[in-house]
Amino acid sequence: TCPAELTEITTNTQDSEEEKNNTSTQEIVSPEDYIKHPLQNRWALWFFKNDKSKTWQANLRLISKFDTVEDFWALYNHIQLSSNLMSGCDYCLFKDGIEPMWEDERNKRGGRWLITLSKQQRRADLDRFWLETLLCLVGEAFDDHSDDVCGAVVNVRAKGDKISIWTTDFENKDAIVHIGQVYKDRLGVPPKVIIGYQSHTDTATKSGSTTKNKFVV
């Protein structure tokens, strides 16, 4: 074999090695590694701190918006757990464009499925229930009725905490009952424990300390 042929063989071997390396590199770097997973909706997380020297609106602050799975977890892992919030504080997760208040156009005719937790349950259940609520929302867990969901709220209070899922129309019975049943199952609430749905109108105009349920599951 003459030197020229040897050089050619060596060059060809190097070329094929480079091709092999390039191919294996392409196989290793998957789109999964750098493409974020989009959510069906863009969501906004709000925080409410009860400062009596300010108006209700001034106490409500937008924390961040997200529309991918990765950004949801990045946000969730960098904020305080619900159980660590001071009494009187709320977290609210709502679809982008819907403000977490009864007066918002999408909430006006709506209502909420309400879970009430005793003080003893805060340590055991509050954070788990709230995370499951968030996953129900961002994961569109309510099938065809997910469009009826506006958002969710956790209220941390001295007397007992509350978690609620808000829907847009209290007259849309099929959607509301389906959402309530799925929600109850996802939280693992025992069948014998009843959870109720109340319209915002009834809650705003109630005369006593409790609001009458429109639906129960």
Side-chain angles (χ1 to χ4, degrees):
T1 307
C2 72
E5 286 174 331
L6 276 172
T7 305
E8 193 176 335
I9 290 166
T10 307
T11 306
N12 287 343
T13 306
Q14 286 172 345
D15 287 347
S16 65
E17 283 297 323
E18 281 177 20
E19 280 174 20
K20 218 184 287 178
N21 288 338
N22 288 340
T23 306
S24 64
T25 304
Q26 285 168 357
E27 286 170 358
I28 291 166
V29 180
S30 157
E32 293 286 315
D33 295 334
Y34 57 87
I35 295 176
K36 290 183 178 181
H37 297 75
L39 298 170
Q40 199 165 311
N41 282 290
R42 185 173 173 80
W43 296 87
L45 183 69
W46 302 75
F47 175 68
F48 177 87
K49 184 177 181 180
N50 190 19
D51 181 345
K52 289 185 165 53
S53 67
K54 297 179 182 176
T55 64
W56 190 91
Q57 274 87 351
N59 280 326
L60 186 67
R61 189 162 55 89
L62 176 64
I63 297 176
S64 185
K65 296 183 181 184
F66 60 87
D67 57 10
T68 69
V69 174
E70 289 76 6
D71 290 341
F72 162 72
W73 284 114
L75 177 59
Y76 182 80
N77 289 327
H78 281 84
I79 59 174
Q80 286 275 7
L81 291 171
S82 312
S83 59
N84 291 336
L85 295 179
M86 286 171 56
S87 182
C89 293
D90 305 338
Y91 278 139
C92 312
L93 183 77
F94 277 71
K95 286 174 180 168
D96 190 23
I98 305 176
E99 295 197 334
M101 54 184 74
W102 296 338
E103 297 83 358
D104 187 281
E105 205 55 46
R106 283 290 305 276
N107 294 326
K108 218 180 260 187
R109 289 185 45 76
R112 60 180 182 168
W113 281 108
L114 183 64
I115 304 285
T116 305
L117 301 172
S118 67
K119 284 192 290 186
Q120 292 74 24
Q121 284 177 284
R122 179 178 298 173
R123 189 181 293 273
D125 295 325
L126 182 64
D127 295 326
R128 180 172 62 87
F129 277 14
W130 177 237
L131 177 57
E132 194 60 47
T133 303
L134 297 179
L135 294 175
C136 283
L137 265 60
V138 301
E140 311 290 333
F142 306 110
D143 309 309
D144 294 342
H145 301 301
S146 288
D147 285 347
D148 274 66
V149 172
C150 297
V153 180
V154 56
N155 311 111
V156 178
R157 300 293 183 267
K159 290 181 179 178
D161 307 319
K162 295 176 182 176
I163 299 176
S164 54
I165 285 186
W166 291 27
T167 74
T168 191
D169 186 353
F170 66 76
E171 291 184 349
N172 194 353
K173 182 181 177 180
D174 289 347
I176 290 168
V177 171
H178 179 81
I179 289 165
Q181 193 58 64
V182 170
Y183 186 41
K184 184 176 177 178
D185 292 345
R186 284 285 294 263
L187 292 183
V189 175
K192 63 182 179 183
V193 176
I194 300 297
I195 64 170
Y197 179 92
Q198 304 155 357
S199 76
H200 296 320
T201 307
D202 287 349
T203 305
T205 57
K206 67 182 179 183
S207 53
S209 59
T210 56
T211 307
K212 188 181 175 185
N213 291 325
K214 284 200 173 295
F215 308 107
V216 294
V217 291

